[in-house]
Amino acid sequence: MIRHRRSKKIARFAVLPLVLLVLMGVVLIAASQFTKNSGEMTKALDGREEEPAQVSSGNAETEIAKETFKIMIDAGHGGKDPGAPGASGVEEKVSNLAIALKVNELLRQDPMFEVRMTRTDDTFVEIEDRSAMANDWDADVLLSIHGNSYEDGSVSGSETFYRYDNGLALATSIHQKLVDAMGFRDRGVRLNELKVLTLSQMPAILIETGYLTNAAEEAVILSEEGQNKMAQAIVDGLKQFVQQSAATK
Ligand SMILES: [Zn+2]
């Protein structure tokens, strides 16, 4: 009995600390929960406070990543200025425009680029106005597309001209892609004081895709397949140039 009572007493003594422990536990959990919550609230408040800064820095990063490049595409000649006739008699202005339109189409598929053209149809545009359009728009790049000609029909190949140092990397990048894609003779990248390049303030190049007076090259330049290939090569070279210049910024 005593044992029993004692055990009851012991039990009572044992239960009290247990209840206290449980109570303390509850209080502690509640306290830690509160701290956690208030911590989160602080964090949330901090976050809210930092939000504009984070958003703006995020935007800055996005701007760098999504910076649009303004490309002025210049289809050589046009209207009363036909350029040189090719081996088949087709005038240069025709294939220049066809390739330029394809480059335009390809670039428009990429939100990285804003594109304008100095002409979109068989219109005559003064050389000065072509450069002025690019300068006034503050274009990042001017691409002038031409086809070459020579009295000797055996002469062939692609060549790309630049005027200022700022156009050399662009010329090199596009020229290499073009030569690789088309397989025409590589006539190189050269400095040339062509008016459209001289008057343009941004990296500007003039691409002589191939010799229209060379029957074999003209056939490729006049073909849908050849024009698609050329346009893609020009776009590939341009993208490579943009990536390279972004990496060195
Ligand atoms: Zn030309």
Side-chain angles (χ1 to χ4, degrees), residues 77 92 96 146-147 208:
H77 312 280
E92 185 199 337
N96 290 345
H146 287 252
E208 296 280 11

Side-chain angles (χ1 to χ4, degrees), residues 144-178:
S144 189
I145 296 168
H146 287 252
N148 228 333
S149 56
Y150 195 64
E151 55 201 27
D152 180 351
S154 69
V155 172
S156 64
S158 306
E159 58 192 323
T160 304
F161 299 116
Y162 69 101
R163 170 64 180 88
Y164 303 113
D165 287 348
N166 68 357
L168 177 58
L170 175 67
T172 305
S173 184
I174 289 183
H175 182 77
Q176 199 52 57
K177 292 284 184 191
L178 193 67

Side-chain angles (χ1 to χ4, degrees), residues 26-62:
V26 166
V27 166
L28 274 172
I29 287 164
S32 77
Q33 204 59 37
F34 175 75
T35 318
K36 202 177 143 201
N37 284 344
S38 63
E40 270 167 10
M41 271 168 71
T42 315
K43 232 192 281 171
L45 279 172
D46 285 354
R48 222 171 296 151
E49 265 167 39
E50 282 169 17
E51 216 168 13
Q54 275 175 355
V55 165
S56 69
S57 76
N59 273 355
E61 279 165 29
T62 318

